[in-house]
Amino acid sequence: MLSRTADHLFWMSRYTERAENTARMLDVNYQTSLLPQSAAVSKVGWQGMLSISELLPAYNAKHGDVEPQRVMQFMVRDESNPSSILSCLRAARENARAVRGSLTTEAWETQNQTWLELNRMLRGGDFERDPGQFFEWVKFRSHLSRGVTVGTMLMDEALHFMRLGTFLERADNTARLVDVKFHAVQSDFFGAASEKDQEYDFYHWSAILRSVSGFEIYRKVYRDVIKPERVADLLILRPDMPRSLHASMNEVVANLAMVANDQSAETQRRAGRLRAELQYGHIDEILANGLHAFLTQFLDRVNEIGGRISRDFLIPA
């Protein structure tokens, strides 16, 4: 496959996944903001949202104080923000258009229709009228894009590069989410003292689970009250949790093997080693050594693998 074609397919999928992840985070923050809480607590939540995407400096330079409505506008429709939903879906559509011949009609039409519909909704004020419904629409279009891709594309290199883009982006986002949200809890997260703290903890951790569609999965797997260490275990180490780090790296390793070439052995080795550490890791050890340190190192290694994939297969940056 031409490296230029592989590059477009890889980034088309990354941008689609990034739009969905942004919608998930915004939706949870929006729903949480409707609960009774102080302005200070609300501000921490929105700052965390910007921190996850490393956009706090860019937001502050443009808007100054963190205000919910401004953050949502910045993350949804600001064209100067490369990680806004508008920017991501535009980039996904442009990458799809560049390799129209490598996609099935259904895959292309899904991307194109998403872009056209997004513009119509933003012009018509749908987002301002009902943010929750808008975020659900973004998630649905991402799900549709993945389903159409898997359901209609030939299982060749094109599909494998698209899957690589999706799961690298997912691993990166889940790691950022866990890192920022665990840091948002000021007290020790192994048990809250007062009843009020316990109530806050429940909403905090259940919101994190809902942002990765993990609330029902948690109940099914653990059949217990929501405990922070189990939330971390689910989102980091469980191979059967679709958005966990372990599940994402399983997909990265599997798809790398399918597109391997003469120069990708070291990239495969690094991805395989990272996957093995998740496969044989234990949450108690990770927490004892420091969750933040673990996730920071994980993000560095995932970004390095992404860079190596670009050098081995795609157009060098």
Side-chain angles (χ1 to χ4, degrees):
M1 170 176 281
L2 290 172
S3 61
R4 184 176 298 279
T5 302
D7 188 74
H8 284 303
L9 293 168
F10 177 82
W11 283 105
M12 179 192 81
S13 295
R14 281 202 81 153
Y15 281 121
T16 302
E17 180 72 16
R18 190 174 299 176
E20 180 189 347
N21 289 329
T22 300
R24 285 177 175 277
M25 282 304 308
L26 283 167
D27 192 28
V28 166
N29 267 40
Y30 171 69
Q31 301 295 344
T32 306
S33 72
L34 301 178
L35 297 169
Q37 59 182 313
S38 69
V41 169
S42 174
K43 187 173 181 179
V44 167
W46 291 106
Q47 281 179 333
M49 164 81 227
L50 293 165
S51 298
I52 287 173
S53 309
E54 296 183 3
L55 290 169
L56 196 54
Y59 173 88
N60 286 335
K62 186 164 187 176
H63 296 291
D65 254 7
V66 173
E67 294 177 8
Q69 283 303 321
R70 284 182 179 176
V71 174
M72 288 211 290
Q73 292 289 334
F74 181 69
M75 294 301 293
V76 169
R77 65 194 310 162
D78 193 325
E79 295 186 34
S80 67
N81 172 13
S83 291
S84 71
I85 290 172
L86 179 69
S87 296
C88 287
L89 292 180
R90 178 198 285 121
R93 190 253 189 184
E94 288 304 309
N95 277 287
R97 190 165 63 88
V99 287
R100 171 71 187 82
S102 299
L103 298 172
T104 58
T105 300
E106 292 91 340
W108 158 247
E109 287 182 350
T110 300
Q111 289 286 349
N112 193 44
Q113 187 62 35
T114 298
W115 171 244
L116 296 174
E117 188 76 1
L118 174 72
N119 280 283
R120 185 194 64 74
M121 292 172 78
L122 291 179
R123 280 197 308 269
D126 291 33
F127 164 56
E128 286 79 6
R129 259 194 311 278
D130 190 345
Q133 191 62 40
F134 175 80
F135 298 138
E136 284 300 320
W137 176 85
V138 176
K139 288 190 278 182
F140 171 76
R141 295 305 296 188
S142 178
H143 295 163
L144 184 63
S145 176
R146 271 197 308 278
V148 166
T149 298
V150 173
T152 67
M153 294 278 292
L154 187 67
M155 295 180 189
D156 62 359
E157 284 189 331
L159 180 64
H160 297 312
F161 278 114
M162 291 163 75
R163 302 284 284 174
L164 268 176
T166 294
F167 288 101
L168 263 182
E169 185 67 32
R170 186 175 296 183
D172 180 276
N173 187 266
T174 299
R176 290 177 190 276
L177 169 74
V178 175
D179 192 25
V180 170
K181 289 299 184 182
F182 268 74
H183 266 59
V185 180
Q186 299 299 319
S187 59
D188 178 13
F189 55 72
F190 283 101
S194 71
E195 194 173 316
K196 184 181 176 186
D197 285 342
Q198 287 173 0
E199 190 176 305
Y200 170 75
D201 271 6
F202 173 80
Y203 286 117
H204 181 82
W205 300 117
S206 60
I208 293 170
L209 289 170
R210 289 184 197 281
S211 72
V212 291
S213 298
F215 187 76
E216 290 86 359
I217 292 174
Y218 182 97
R219 293 293 196 206
K220 186 174 183 179
V221 170
Y222 299 107
R223 300 176 184 277
D224 199 358
V225 296
I226 299 176
K227 296 180 179 177
E229 60 271 29
R230 286 184 173 171
V231 173
D233 182 52
L234 184 72
L235 299 187
I236 295 172
L237 298 179
R238 292 283 305 200
D240 49 0
M241 165 62 187
R243 306 189 80 82
S244 73
L245 304 188
H246 189 174
S248 297
M249 287 310 300
N250 280 346
E251 289 283 348
V252 170
V253 169
N255 285 284
L256 263 178
M258 300 302 286
V259 298
N261 61 22
D262 294 340
Q263 59 196 38
S264 65
E266 179 61 17
T267 304
Q268 287 179 269
R269 187 189 73 81
R270 293 184 188 215
R273 183 176 175 184
L274 183 54
R275 193 267 302 266
E277 288 176 20
L278 294 166
Q279 184 176 350
Y280 297 106
H282 198 283
I283 197 61
D284 290 344
E285 291 176 3
I286 291 172
L287 294 174
N289 294 327
L291 183 65
H292 178 63
F294 172 84
L295 291 169
T296 301
Q297 186 185 55
F298 178 87
L299 281 167
D300 288 343
R301 292 167 73 181
V302 162
N303 288 333
E304 182 190 30
I305 290 168
R308 296 190 70 89
I309 288 172
S310 290
R311 287 196 297 276
D312 292 346
F313 305 103
L314 312 178
I315 301 170

